[in-house]
Amino acid sequence: MESENSYRHLLKWGDKREEGISHHMAEVIRAKFSLTEAVFRSKHLPGTEPVKLEKPPMIKPAQLEFLRGICGSGNVLTDDLSRARFSCGKFYGELLGLRLGLVPDPPDAVVAPRTHEEVEKVIAYCSDEMIAVVPAGGLSSVTGAIRAPHGGIALDLTKHLNRIMTVNKVNKTVTVQSGMYGPALEKELNSQGYSCGHFPQSFEYSTVGGWISARGAGQASTGYGKIEDMLVAIRAVTPAGVIETKDYPRTAQGWDLFRLFAGAEGTLGVITEATLHIFNHAPQNTASAAFIFRSFEAAVETMRRIIQSECGKPHLFRISDPDETDIAFKTSGFDGTLADKALAILGFKAGSRCLMFATVEGERDYARFVLNKIKRKVRAGKGMYIGTSPVRKWLDQRYSSAYMRDPLMDLGIMTDTLETAVTWDKLLKVWKAAHEYVARRPKAFLMIHISHVYENGANLYFTFLSPMQKGNEAQDFAVFHRGLVDTILENGGSISHHHGVGRVLAPWMEGHLGKNSMELLGAVKKHLDPNNIMNPGGTLGML
Ligand SMILES: Cc1cc2nc3c(=O)[nH]c(=O)nc-3n(C[C@H](O)[C@H](O)[C@H](O)COP(=O)(O)OP(=O)(O)OC[C@H]3O[C@@H](n4cnc5c(N)ncnc54)[C@H](O)[C@@H]3O)c2cc1C
């Protein structure tokens, strides 16, 4: 474990222990990028230095005193480490910055209110004093949504606002404070027979408020929906006052105002509580299956037919494209086995074959019924059932696989992800164009999967790896990343399906939404936040 005072401690995702990459993964990386033994022995830009900020806090002592008066002195921090921790999320560019000892946008202070009422007082005061406020959950944003270019305060919602308020068993909803992390929420719900149904890969280190604010999607979203589908009501503090919506099942009284806060990324106010649908917790009933297809096109076509057939929905539903399938087979040690050779003889050849995973949850009979329907459609689509163990193995590492990014960066490998939503009629076009774009960069490598599926389309999730351009890491990444976003958008994808927009994708907002729509967003913001204190400085393309 690195010193808790170091940049490395801040940048590391997940478990802070020093994890290496697996033997199989090391072999793949060594071969793909021609890495030498020396590279494996050293760490590129390890970020082991102690954190030291250049920017002193700009907030006035009297203002700090006032905030201490509201929240208690132990809940207002101005030390370098706290300010650096709340200065960014987990976007690749930010992690690179930390490795280089750069903290360009720290807040002046980190404030942790203890109650909804304290949030009200803090926001009213900050609005009067024109102090910028960045609401902060688990800091797992991968779009630059957590930054304080105007200084001000980061509002730590996880320290105190992290409890379930009520589980309403009659309405099957939970009302929860926004700073509660996924595992604590799920554990408490499980103990009462329920599940939250929302399992992003960042589940362990992200919060209810962050899920809603970035409009996230869990890994079983095909069945359970995205977070905005689960959202029933909201309690939020804005500079213009509190917005509290009711938990009616549906209404026709104008717009659903709680939806304004789904995807607002902290620009309108602070969500303090949310009411969400909950689901029965019955993992023993889950039916699962893995399939293999001869091509991505065949797998996608089958997936579309399944989701449009109205035979019931899988919860987890994924396809890994040939490159991702290849890596999955290599890193799991499957490559070269007898089973692998048998698959090749049957025509499921490396370089074109694709894995599909499905799980169905709910009543046991229902889960089996839907899975049987899926199996039948897979057979009709010339796919083959290959058992359940690949799904189990995938579920075992569903969160920890993301820990690999840090050791890869230690090897000088640039690795980041992007994601988009796209209709079925354009999906293959976006997939091909992204591969063509990445193939133009020497030694770059792209894996794509589909993991959230709808009647009219799906998401595409891109993971790219490439050796860093040493000495020019940040600029090289920025140019490459920009080109990939342009490619996705030009071919019909959306800016984001579930990561949100933040500051990183903000430059594409107006072109994508149009001027009038941007002005509408701006007008809503102006009404709720007239002094522009809420997460200002570029998030969602707002000033
Ligand atoms: C390894 C990894 C894997 C990931 N996998 C997924 C995935 O599978 N699915 C997915 O959807 N996302 C994923 N993400 C992205 C990220 O985890 C999500 O966007 C998550 O919802 C952010 O939650 P958070 O609590 O960390 O929020 P933060 O990062 O702290 O904040 C995100 C945004 O929400 C705002 N915000 C936070 N709390 C509040 C609040 N109470 N009121 C108002 N605004 C608030 C912040 O100001 C910021 O704009 C992943 C990220 C990482 C690093």
Side-chain angles (χ1 to χ4, degrees), residues 121-165:
K121 287 181 191 154
V122 168
I123 295 299
Y125 177 71
C126 289
S127 187
D128 286 348
E129 296 283 306
M130 310 271 255
I131 298 170
V133 179
V134 181
L139 307 171
S140 70
S141 163
V142 282
T143 57
I146 296 280
R147 287 180 200 169
H150 298 329
I153 62 169
L155 211 60
D156 176 6
L157 296 154
T158 63
K159 189 168 174 186
H160 300 292
L161 295 175
N162 54 20
R163 284 184 308 114
I164 287 182
M165 307 301 280

Short mmCIF file of all heavy atoms in Angstrom, two decimals, residues 121-165:
data_model
loop_
_atom_site.label_atom_id
_atom_site.label_comp_id
_atom_site.label_asym_id
_atom_site.label_seq_id
_atom_site.Cartn_x
_atom_site.Cartn_y
_atom_site.Cartn_z
N LYS A 121 -28.76 25.43 4.35
CA LYS A 121 -28.06 26.63 4.85
C LYS A 121 -26.79 26.89 4.06
O LYS A 121 -26.47 28.03 3.71
CB LYS A 121 -27.72 26.45 6.34
CG LYS A 121 -28.93 26.55 7.24
CD LYS A 121 -28.52 26.40 8.71
CE LYS A 121 -29.76 26.23 9.57
NZ LYS A 121 -29.53 25.52 10.80
N VAL A 122 -26.05 25.82 3.75
CA VAL A 122 -24.78 25.98 3.02
C VAL A 122 -25.06 26.55 1.62
O VAL A 122 -24.39 27.49 1.17
CB VAL A 122 -24.04 24.62 2.90
CG1 VAL A 122 -22.89 24.71 1.91
CG2 VAL A 122 -23.54 24.17 4.26
N ILE A 123 -26.08 26.01 0.95
CA ILE A 123 -26.34 26.46 -0.43
C ILE A 123 -26.84 27.91 -0.43
O ILE A 123 -26.42 28.72 -1.26
CB ILE A 123 -27.36 25.50 -1.12
CG1 ILE A 123 -26.73 24.11 -1.28
CG2 ILE A 123 -27.81 26.05 -2.48
CD1 ILE A 123 -25.47 24.06 -2.12
N ALA A 124 -27.70 28.24 0.51
CA ALA A 124 -28.21 29.63 0.56
C ALA A 124 -27.03 30.59 0.80
O ALA A 124 -26.91 31.63 0.13
CB ALA A 124 -29.24 29.77 1.68
N TYR A 125 -26.16 30.21 1.73
CA TYR A 125 -25.01 31.08 2.04
C TYR A 125 -24.08 31.19 0.82
O TYR A 125 -23.65 32.30 0.45
CB TYR A 125 -24.26 30.51 3.25
CG TYR A 125 -23.03 31.30 3.61
CD1 TYR A 125 -23.14 32.58 4.17
CD2 TYR A 125 -21.75 30.78 3.38
CE1 TYR A 125 -22.01 33.32 4.50
CE2 TYR A 125 -20.62 31.52 3.70
CZ TYR A 125 -20.75 32.78 4.25
OH TYR A 125 -19.64 33.52 4.57
N CYS A 126 -23.77 30.06 0.21
CA CYS A 126 -22.84 30.08 -0.92
C CYS A 126 -23.42 30.88 -2.09
O CYS A 126 -22.69 31.56 -2.81
CB CYS A 126 -22.49 28.65 -1.37
SG CYS A 126 -21.43 27.81 -0.18
N SER A 127 -24.73 30.79 -2.27
CA SER A 127 -25.35 31.56 -3.35
C SER A 127 -25.21 33.05 -3.06
O SER A 127 -24.83 33.84 -3.94
CB SER A 127 -26.81 31.16 -3.51
OG SER A 127 -27.35 31.77 -4.66
N ASP A 128 -25.49 33.45 -1.83
CA ASP A 128 -25.35 34.87 -1.47
C ASP A 128 -23.92 35.35 -1.64
O ASP A 128 -23.67 36.47 -2.09
CB ASP A 128 -25.74 35.09 0.00
CG ASP A 128 -27.25 35.00 0.21
OD1 ASP A 128 -27.97 35.00 -0.81
OD2 ASP A 128 -27.70 34.89 1.37
N GLU A 129 -22.99 34.50 -1.25
CA GLU A 129 -21.56 34.90 -1.26
C GLU A 129 -20.87 34.57 -2.58
O GLU A 129 -19.66 34.76 -2.72
CB GLU A 129 -20.82 34.17 -0.13
CG GLU A 129 -21.27 34.53 1.26
CD GLU A 129 -20.73 35.88 1.74
OE1 GLU A 129 -19.51 36.06 1.70
OE2 GLU A 129 -21.55 36.73 2.14
N MET A 130 -21.63 33.99 -3.53
CA MET A 130 -21.09 33.58 -4.83
C MET A 130 -19.90 32.61 -4.68
O MET A 130 -18.86 32.77 -5.31
CB MET A 130 -20.62 34.80 -5.63
CG MET A 130 -21.63 35.91 -5.72
SD MET A 130 -22.68 35.69 -7.12
CE MET A 130 -22.04 36.90 -8.21
N ILE A 131 -20.09 31.63 -3.82
CA ILE A 131 -19.05 30.59 -3.65
C ILE A 131 -19.48 29.36 -4.45
O ILE A 131 -20.61 28.86 -4.28
CB ILE A 131 -18.92 30.20 -2.15
CG1 ILE A 131 -18.49 31.40 -1.33
CG2 ILE A 131 -17.95 29.03 -1.97
CD1 ILE A 131 -18.57 31.18 0.19
N ALA A 132 -18.62 28.89 -5.32
CA ALA A 132 -18.96 27.73 -6.15
C ALA A 132 -19.10 26.48 -5.27
O ALA A 132 -18.38 26.32 -4.29
CB ALA A 132 -17.87 27.50 -7.20
N VAL A 133 -20.04 25.60 -5.67
CA VAL A 133 -20.28 24.36 -4.92
C VAL A 133 -20.27 23.18 -5.88
O VAL A 133 -21.01 23.17 -6.86
CB VAL A 133 -21.67 24.39 -4.22
CG1 VAL A 133 -21.92 23.09 -3.47
CG2 VAL A 133 -21.79 25.59 -3.28
N VAL A 134 -19.44 22.18 -5.60
CA VAL A 134 -19.45 20.95 -6.41
C VAL A 134 -19.97 19.81 -5.53
O VAL A 134 -19.26 19.36 -4.62
CB VAL A 134 -18.04 20.60 -6.92
CG1 VAL A 134 -18.09 19.34 -7.79
CG2 VAL A 134 -17.45 21.77 -7.70
N PRO A 135 -21.21 19.33 -5.76
CA PRO A 135 -21.68 18.19 -4.99
C PRO A 135 -20.83 16.97 -5.33
O PRO A 135 -20.52 16.72 -6.49
CB PRO A 135 -23.12 17.98 -5.50
CG PRO A 135 -23.48 19.23 -6.23
CD PRO A 135 -22.20 19.80 -6.75
N ALA A 136 -20.44 16.23 -4.30
CA ALA A 136 -19.54 15.09 -4.55
C ALA A 136 -20.06 13.83 -3.89
O ALA A 136 -20.41 13.83 -2.71
CB ALA A 136 -18.15 15.43 -4.01
N GLY A 137 -20.12 12.77 -4.68
CA GLY A 137 -20.49 11.45 -4.16
C GLY A 137 -19.21 10.63 -4.03
O GLY A 137 -18.27 11.00 -3.32
N GLY A 138 -19.15 9.53 -4.76
CA GLY A 138 -18.00 8.62 -4.67
C GLY A 138 -16.78 9.07 -5.46
O GLY A 138 -15.76 8.40 -5.45
N LEU A 139 -16.90 10.18 -6.21
CA LEU A 139 -15.78 10.72 -7.01
C LEU A 139 -15.36 9.74 -8.10
O LEU A 139 -14.18 9.66 -8.45
CB LEU A 139 -14.58 11.05 -6.12
CG LEU A 139 -14.83 11.96 -4.92
CD1 LEU A 139 -13.61 12.01 -4.00
CD2 LEU A 139 -15.21 13.36 -5.37
N SER A 140 -16.31 8.96 -8.60
CA SER A 140 -15.97 7.98 -9.64
C SER A 140 -16.31 8.48 -11.05
O SER A 140 -16.22 7.72 -12.01
CB SER A 140 -16.68 6.65 -9.37
OG SER A 140 -18.07 6.79 -9.59
N SER A 141 -16.68 9.75 -11.15
CA SER A 141 -17.00 10.31 -12.48
C SER A 141 -15.86 10.07 -13.45
O SER A 141 -14.70 10.27 -13.11
CB SER A 141 -17.23 11.82 -12.35
OG SER A 141 -17.15 12.42 -13.62
N VAL A 142 -16.21 9.66 -14.66
CA VAL A 142 -15.16 9.47 -15.67
C VAL A 142 -15.29 10.52 -16.79
O VAL A 142 -14.80 10.32 -17.90
CB VAL A 142 -15.20 8.04 -16.26
CG1 VAL A 142 -14.57 7.05 -15.30
CG2 VAL A 142 -16.61 7.61 -16.61
N THR A 143 -15.99 11.62 -16.48
CA THR A 143 -16.20 12.64 -17.51
C THR A 143 -15.76 14.03 -17.05
O THR A 143 -16.19 15.03 -17.62
CB THR A 143 -17.70 12.70 -17.89
OG1 THR A 143 -18.43 12.97 -16.70
CG2 THR A 143 -18.18 11.42 -18.53
N GLY A 144 -14.98 14.10 -15.99
CA GLY A 144 -14.52 15.41 -15.53
C GLY A 144 -15.63 16.23 -14.89
O GLY A 144 -15.57 17.47 -14.89
N ALA A 145 -16.63 15.55 -14.32
CA ALA A 145 -17.75 16.29 -13.71
C ALA A 145 -17.39 16.80 -12.32
O ALA A 145 -18.09 17.64 -11.76
CB ALA A 145 -18.99 15.39 -13.63
N ILE A 146 -16.33 16.24 -11.72
CA ILE A 146 -15.89 16.68 -10.39
C ILE A 146 -14.62 17.51 -10.56
O ILE A 146 -13.52 16.95 -10.66
CB ILE A 146 -15.59 15.45 -9.49
CG1 ILE A 146 -16.84 14.63 -9.24
CG2 ILE A 146 -14.91 15.86 -8.20
CD1 ILE A 146 -17.76 15.16 -8.17
N ARG A 147 -14.76 18.79 -10.67
CA ARG A 147 -13.60 19.68 -10.71
C ARG A 147 -14.05 21.03 -10.17
O ARG A 147 -15.23 21.36 -10.29
CB ARG A 147 -13.09 19.90 -12.14
CG ARG A 147 -12.38 18.71 -12.70
CD ARG A 147 -11.89 18.98 -14.10
NE ARG A 147 -11.63 17.71 -14.78
CZ ARG A 147 -11.40 17.59 -16.08
NH1 ARG A 147 -11.39 18.66 -16.85
NH2 ARG A 147 -11.17 16.40 -16.61
N ALA A 148 -13.13 21.80 -9.65
CA ALA A 148 -13.53 23.11 -9.11
C ALA A 148 -12.70 24.21 -9.76
O ALA A 148 -11.88 24.84 -9.10
CB ALA A 148 -13.35 23.10 -7.60
N PRO A 149 -12.91 24.46 -11.06
CA PRO A 149 -12.11 25.48 -11.74
C PRO A 149 -12.32 26.87 -11.14
O PRO A 149 -11.47 27.74 -11.28
CB PRO A 149 -12.59 25.43 -13.19
CG PRO A 149 -13.90 24.73 -13.16
CD PRO A 149 -13.87 23.82 -11.97
N HIS A 150 -13.47 27.09 -10.46
CA HIS A 150 -13.70 28.37 -9.80
C HIS A 150 -13.44 28.29 -8.30
O HIS A 150 -13.93 29.14 -7.54
CB HIS A 150 -15.15 28.85 -10.03
CG HIS A 150 -15.47 29.07 -11.48
ND1 HIS A 150 -14.55 29.47 -12.39
CD2 HIS A 150 -16.63 28.93 -12.17
CE1 HIS A 150 -15.11 29.58 -13.59
NE2 HIS A 150 -16.38 29.24 -13.49
N GLY A 151 -12.74 27.26 -7.85
CA GLY A 151 -12.52 27.08 -6.42
C GLY A 151 -13.84 26.82 -5.71
O GLY A 151 -14.68 26.08 -6.22
N GLY A 152 -14.02 27.43 -4.55
CA GLY A 152 -15.26 27.21 -3.80
C GLY A 152 -15.17 25.93 -2.99
O GLY A 152 -14.08 25.49 -2.61
N ILE A 153 -16.33 25.30 -2.78
CA ILE A 153 -16.31 24.12 -1.90
C ILE A 153 -16.76 22.86 -2.65
O ILE A 153 -17.58 22.92 -3.56
CB ILE A 153 -17.21 24.31 -0.65
CG1 ILE A 153 -18.69 24.51 -1.06
CG2 ILE A 153 -16.73 25.49 0.18
CD1 ILE A 153 -19.65 24.44 0.13
N ALA A 154 -16.18 21.75 -2.25
CA ALA A 154 -16.74 20.45 -2.64
C ALA A 154 -17.63 20.02 -1.49
O ALA A 154 -17.25 20.15 -0.32
CB ALA A 154 -15.62 19.44 -2.84
N LEU A 155 -18.83 19.57 -1.82
CA LEU A 155 -19.78 19.16 -0.78
C LEU A 155 -19.73 17.65 -0.66
O LEU A 155 -20.22 16.93 -1.53
CB LEU A 155 -21.18 19.62 -1.21
CG LEU A 155 -22.16 19.98 -0.12
CD1 LEU A 155 -21.63 21.13 0.74
CD2 LEU A 155 -23.49 20.36 -0.72
N ASP A 156 -19.09 17.16 0.39
CA ASP A 156 -18.94 15.70 0.58
C ASP A 156 -20.24 15.14 1.16
O ASP A 156 -20.54 15.33 2.35
CB ASP A 156 -17.76 15.45 1.52
CG ASP A 156 -17.61 13.96 1.85
OD1 ASP A 156 -18.35 13.15 1.26
OD2 ASP A 156 -16.75 13.63 2.68
N LEU A 157 -21.00 14.45 0.31
CA LEU A 157 -22.31 13.94 0.76
C LEU A 157 -22.20 12.56 1.37
O LEU A 157 -23.17 12.03 1.92
CB LEU A 157 -23.27 13.94 -0.44
CG LEU A 157 -23.51 15.37 -0.91
CD1 LEU A 157 -23.88 15.43 -2.37
CD2 LEU A 157 -24.55 16.06 -0.05
N THR A 158 -21.01 11.96 1.27
CA THR A 158 -20.87 10.56 1.72
C THR A 158 -20.61 10.44 3.22
O THR A 158 -20.87 9.41 3.81
CB THR A 158 -19.71 9.85 0.99
OG1 THR A 158 -18.48 10.51 1.33
CG2 THR A 158 -19.89 9.88 -0.51
N LYS A 159 -20.07 11.49 3.81
CA LYS A 159 -19.62 11.37 5.20
C LYS A 159 -20.79 11.20 6.17
O LYS A 159 -20.74 10.37 7.07
CB LYS A 159 -18.79 12.62 5.58
CG LYS A 159 -18.10 12.50 6.92
CD LYS A 159 -17.08 13.61 7.08
CE LYS A 159 -16.47 13.60 8.47
NZ LYS A 159 -15.58 14.76 8.67
N HIS A 160 -21.88 11.96 5.95
CA HIS A 160 -23.00 11.89 6.90
C HIS A 160 -24.33 11.51 6.24
O HIS A 160 -25.17 10.90 6.88
CB HIS A 160 -23.19 13.25 7.59
CG HIS A 160 -21.98 13.69 8.36
ND1 HIS A 160 -21.55 13.05 9.49
CD2 HIS A 160 -21.10 14.70 8.14
CE1 HIS A 160 -20.46 13.64 9.96
NE2 HIS A 160 -20.17 14.65 9.15
N LEU A 161 -24.50 11.92 4.98
CA LEU A 161 -25.83 11.71 4.35
C LEU A 161 -25.82 10.36 3.64
O LEU A 161 -25.87 10.29 2.40
CB LEU A 161 -26.14 12.85 3.38
CG LEU A 161 -26.28 14.21 4.07
CD1 LEU A 161 -26.47 15.33 3.06
CD2 LEU A 161 -27.45 14.21 5.05
N ASN A 162 -25.72 9.29 4.42
CA ASN A 162 -25.46 7.98 3.82
C ASN A 162 -26.34 6.88 4.40
O ASN A 162 -25.90 5.75 4.56
CB ASN A 162 -23.97 7.63 4.04
CG ASN A 162 -23.59 7.73 5.51
OD1 ASN A 162 -24.47 7.68 6.37
ND2 ASN A 162 -22.31 7.84 5.80
N ARG A 163 -27.60 7.23 4.68
CA ARG A 163 -28.49 6.24 5.31
C ARG A 163 -29.76 6.03 4.51
O ARG A 163 -30.19 6.92 3.77
CB ARG A 163 -28.89 6.73 6.71
CG ARG A 163 -27.81 6.57 7.75
CD ARG A 163 -28.30 6.98 9.13
NE ARG A 163 -28.90 8.32 9.13
CZ ARG A 163 -30.17 8.58 9.36
NH1 ARG A 163 -31.04 7.62 9.59
NH2 ARG A 163 -30.62 9.82 9.36
N ILE A 164 -30.35 4.87 4.73
CA ILE A 164 -31.71 4.64 4.22
C ILE A 164 -32.67 5.35 5.16
O ILE A 164 -32.55 5.23 6.38
CB ILE A 164 -32.01 3.13 4.16
CG1 ILE A 164 -31.24 2.47 3.01
CG2 ILE A 164 -33.51 2.89 4.02
CD1 ILE A 164 -31.50 0.99 2.84
N MET A 165 -33.62 6.10 4.62
CA MET A 165 -34.62 6.77 5.46
C MET A 165 -35.79 5.81 5.72
O MET A 165 -36.17 5.61 6.85
CB MET A 165 -35.15 8.04 4.78
CG MET A 165 -34.06 9.01 4.33
SD MET A 165 -33.04 9.57 5.70
CE MET A 165 -34.09 10.81 6.41
#
